[in-house]
Amino acid sequence: MDLYKNKLHLFIEMVHLLKIILVFFLVLAPPVSGQEGSVFAPLTLAEFGQRDLLETRRALLNELIPSVSDESPIPPAEAETRVYLDLAELHLAKMLRPEAADYLAAVDVETVSPEQLRRHRTLQVALDLMAERAVLGQAVSRSVGWAQGQALRTAAFARLGEEGESARLLPVAVNALSGLSPAMTAEILPDLFEAALIAENWTVAEALAARFPDHVELRDSAAYRFLLARASEISGDFLMAYDGYAHAARGRDAYAHRARLALIQMGRRTNTLPLEDAVTLLKTARWAWSGDAFANEGVALLADYALELGDHQIGLWALGQSLSHATSPKEAEAVRERARVAIDDFYQSGAAGDLGLAGFIKGHAAIAAGWRYDDAFVQSAVALPQRLLASGMTALAAREFRNLRMISQAAEELELFTPDPKMIRQLLHDEARALLAGGQGDAAVDLLGGFSQGPGDDLETERLLVRALSLAGRSDELATWHGRALDIDSRRARAVALYETGNWAAARQALLELWDAYPAQFSFSDATRLTLAAYELGDTSTVSRAATAFPSLSDMPGWAEIAARLEAHTPPPADLNSGTIRSSVESANRVLDAVNEVSAGMDKN
């Protein structure tokens, strides 16, 4: 029984507590839409809007002048606050917003009465609802429940792109316009009219359009003509829409710019404007308006059409502008990704020969100016020096390979991104190949010399260095060079280079090392060079070893002379002057050429 009483008592207490909480929430609930509530004060904006600005301001400012004979019971501080609030409301009604904000800032909200605080708060909300987009979000939140400001709130939602909310408030907004001054009404009418067009609320749109002629600043404005043209376009009357856009485009404000964009877009949708003309018009329009969202819209449209046309240079310029105005990291990354695709398309077209070489080079210079530090640029741009090299422009190709390598290294130093070390090494090799193809052996040696030493095995660098030393005729360095590139190709290249420069001793040694390391791959041409080098040195044993291993050596031209000299043990000439060496080299080369021709014929058979 006691347990039952305790449960009943607990239940009664909980019900009582819930009643208290319910009353608490009802007391603190915000005012509903259409209810002024205690948060906002009624404003006389329409009345202030009808007054003469200069006379009213002069009268209010005179009230701030202290008077000795003033016996008014109103405290001076409260009277001063009232004058400041009147001045703020007057200037807001005349759409002089900076001046209105200054007068509001002059009020000390910590010392004013509750009624004046409400009025100050209401004026500040009205001012913020007509401010820039950045502060509109907070303004519409702070204006919930302000019936007199529904038109301002609806226009703010429209500027924020909240189409659903603005559409919901439109019927109320039309009636709330009567509480605003003519200047304020003229300011927000275009936003409200456009919101009605987007919502396709033709009743409200018609009512709002009928108010435009009542305002001198709107009667023949670009905004009015643009919005009427847009209504015609939505309803399918393209001829009327074109005429309206054309008239609006003659202006110099944002609506004139939007009209120019609308003409271009409508022309493309109806297939009445060629793509080339659309790009040309947008290229001109980009300089006519800048600095806001509509200018960015035009730049984005230029990027779309230019890339569709294949004008990568203009398209990437436009994407660069869009990137600089991106409002979020996600948006910026989307622009970068699109630019990477466009850059890659440009260089693929250049590599395939779809672009002339002059246009390829010019486009590359323009793209590099804006996108060289994108992490995908170098990988795509390498197509240019590759084509230059294939075209025989070796010096220019080497320079471009070097520039791309420097861009990658600079990006790493600036901590923009970490380039692939393999890509940098490949650019180095490509630059060296371009120099070698152009006969610049010394330049290739200087380039590769600093990279061939160090930790790790870089066989390709050493192979290229062997070729560079050979091309430069630096046989002494080649003879003493000992690299890590011990593969057969590098060994053979070094041996051939020494042989061709007439360094017989070093050539013999290199060929013998090649033979010892790769006996199965030691070819007849290698044996021929070894034989001739040994012959020039009077090395009987090496000639005999080669002849034993390659009996067909005896069939080559000049073998009888070699055998006769070696049988007589005739020493090599004591005075190896340049003429003697040149004669020996030319003779040996003639023999080797004959051998290579025979070998080539045998391979074909």
Side-chain angles (χ1 to χ4, degrees):
M1 189 68 177
D2 292 337
L3 180 62
Y4 174 78
K5 290 182 178 180
N6 289 337
K7 288 183 177 180
L8 180 62
H9 178 72
L10 179 61
F11 175 77
I12 294 173
E13 290 293 327
M14 290 179 65
V15 170
H16 180 65
L17 180 61
L18 287 173
K19 288 181 179 179
I20 295 175
I21 294 174
L22 179 60
V23 172
F24 180 79
F25 276 111
L26 288 175
V27 170
L28 295 183
V32 297
S33 178
Q35 177 184 354
E36 203 64 47
S38 61
V39 177
F40 303 103
L43 301 179
T44 56
L45 293 167
E47 179 184 347
F48 272 110
Q50 298 296 335
R51 295 184 186 182
D52 183 87
L53 173 64
L54 297 180
E55 290 183 1
T56 306
R57 181 167 60 183
R58 184 184 303 112
L60 290 172
L61 290 175
N62 286 336
E63 294 184 30
L64 292 177
I65 302 175
S67 175
V68 178
S69 61
D70 188 5
E71 298 179 358
S72 173
I74 301 177
E78 186 175 345
E80 181 179 292
T81 298
R82 178 189 58 77
V83 172
Y84 280 134
L85 292 175
D86 284 347
L87 285 168
E89 189 168 353
L90 170 67
H91 286 83
L92 176 59
K94 299 296 184 179
M95 280 307 295
L96 299 173
R97 290 182 296 161
E99 292 81 356
D102 290 340
Y103 286 120
L104 284 178
V107 176
D108 184 3
V109 295
E110 300 294 334
T111 60
V112 298
S113 65
E115 182 181 352
Q116 290 177 330
L117 182 60
R118 288 173 52 216
R119 187 181 178 196
H120 181 279
R121 183 187 298 116
T122 306
L123 286 170
Q124 187 63 60
V125 168
L127 195 62
D128 291 343
L129 284 172
M130 306 188 78
E132 300 299 326
R133 183 186 178 95
V135 299
L136 284 182
Q138 294 182 355
V140 294
S141 298
R142 290 189 288 112
S143 63
V144 173
W146 184 29
Q148 187 179 357
Q150 291 293 8
L152 296 177
R153 298 187 72 241
T154 306
F157 278 121
R159 292 199 300 278
L160 285 171
E162 298 289 342
E163 298 174 0
E165 192 64 22
S166 61
R168 184 182 67 83
L169 295 175
L170 274 172
V172 181
V174 175
N175 297 327
L177 286 173
S178 59
L180 303 179
S181 67
M184 296 175 71
T185 301
E187 180 69 18
I188 65 173
L189 260 181
D191 295 323
L192 296 176
F193 189 13
E194 186 167 8
L197 294 178
I198 294 174
E200 296 189 9
N201 189 333
W202 300 112
T203 302
V204 172
E206 185 177 356
L208 292 170
R211 289 175 176 264
F212 275 74
D214 297 337
H215 303 273
V216 177
E217 60 268 48
L218 293 179
R219 191 173 302 154
D220 196 35
S221 65
Y224 189 33
R225 291 187 177 277
F226 169 80
L227 292 170
L228 289 177
R230 186 168 183 185
S232 298
E233 183 181 6
I234 293 174
S235 62
D237 190 345
F238 295 113
L239 185 60
M240 185 67 72
Y242 173 82
D243 185 64
Y245 285 141
H247 278 81
R250 298 171 185 171
R252 296 185 177 182
D253 60 3
Y255 283 99
H257 177 70
R258 295 180 67 187
R260 289 188 283 270
L261 298 183
L263 278 172
I264 296 171
Q265 289 176 296
M266 190 172 68
R268 290 299 302 148
R269 282 196 297 268
T270 57
N271 294 321
T272 57
L273 182 67
L275 185 58
E276 297 85 350
D277 293 344
V279 171
T280 301
L281 291 172
L282 286 170
K283 286 165 65 176
T284 304
R286 60 180 166 166
W287 307 119
W289 190 258
S290 62
D292 64 1
F294 301 121
N296 297 340
E297 180 183 345
V299 170
L301 196 62
L302 176 59
D304 293 340
Y305 289 166
L307 293 177
E308 182 183 350
L309 181 63
D311 191 341
H312 295 88
Q313 187 173 338
I314 290 296
L316 286 167
W317 175 89
L319 287 175
Q321 296 297 307
S322 297
L323 181 61
S324 65
H325 295 102
T327 57
S328 66
K330 183 178 181 180
E331 181 183 351
E333 185 57 32
V335 174
R336 287 193 189 93
E337 188 58 35
R338 191 176 177 194
R340 289 170 188 144
V341 173
I343 289 171
D344 194 56
D345 288 344
F346 170 79
Y347 284 105
Q348 285 186 8
S349 298
D354 297 336
L355 300 174
L357 195 53
F360 195 12
I361 295 172
K362 181 180 179 181
H364 165 74
I367 293 172
W371 297 94
R372 64 184 179 278
Y373 289 127
D374 185 84
D375 54 3
F377 169 76
V378 172
Q379 187 174 0
S380 298
V382 74
L384 173 64
Q386 288 174 347
R387 181 174 170 186
L388 291 172
L389 183 59
S391 302
M393 305 175 71
T394 56
L396 191 56
R399 188 189 72 180
E400 290 302 329
F401 280 126
R402 181 171 63 255
N403 289 342
L404 295 178
R405 179 165 54 87
M406 293 302 177
I407 288 172
S408 298
Q409 293 173 341
E412 184 175 21
E413 293 175 2
L414 295 172
E415 298 182 353
L416 299 176
F417 61 87
T418 302
D420 185 358
K422 294 181 179 179
M423 181 183 68
I424 293 180
R425 183 68 64 173
Q426 184 62 46
L427 290 170
L428 172 74
H429 294 162
D430 290 339
E431 181 184 351
R433 293 188 185 96
L435 292 171
L436 292 172
Q440 300 185 60
D442 287 317
V445 171
D446 295 339
L447 172 67
L448 297 167
F451 292 90
S452 62
Q453 305 299 326
D457 294 333
D458 187 359
L459 302 183
E460 183 60 24
T461 300
E462 295 188 347
R463 293 188 190 103
L464 292 171
L465 183 56
V466 168
R467 289 179 55 192
L469 289 170
S470 173
L471 181 63
R474 294 159 71 162
S475 58
D476 292 341
E477 295 178 48
L478 197 59
T480 59
W481 181 81
H482 296 285
R484 297 181 300 276
L486 302 179
D487 64 305
I488 185 171
D489 293 331
S490 297
R491 288 178 180 272
R492 178 174 285 130
R494 175 171 173 263
V496 170
L498 290 170
Y499 172 82
E500 291 178 349
T501 56
N503 195 331
W504 308 120
R508 178 189 61 180
Q509 184 62 32
L511 287 164
L512 287 173
E513 292 174 356
L514 176 65
W515 197 356
D516 293 339
Y518 299 95
Q521 289 80 25
F522 195 75
S523 66
F524 184 74
S525 297
D526 297 327
T528 303
R529 291 189 181 92
L530 176 60
T531 300
L532 295 175
Y535 165 72
E536 293 293 339
L537 297 172
D539 183 357
T540 308
S541 60
T542 300
V543 172
S544 299
R545 179 186 173 189
T548 302
F550 295 87
S552 55
L553 283 172
S554 59
D555 298 332
M556 71 177 185
W559 180 257
E561 178 185 349
I562 294 173
R565 176 179 168 185
L566 294 177
E567 288 177 359
H569 301 287
T570 305
D575 53 340
L576 290 176
N577 53 40
S578 60
T580 304
I581 294 175
R582 189 182 307 109
S583 177
S584 299
V585 171
E586 291 176 354
S587 176
N589 285 338
R590 284 195 300 271
V591 173
L592 187 57
D593 289 341
V595 171
N596 289 335
E597 290 178 4
V598 173
S599 299
M602 293 173 63
D603 293 338
K604 290 180 181 180
N605 295 331

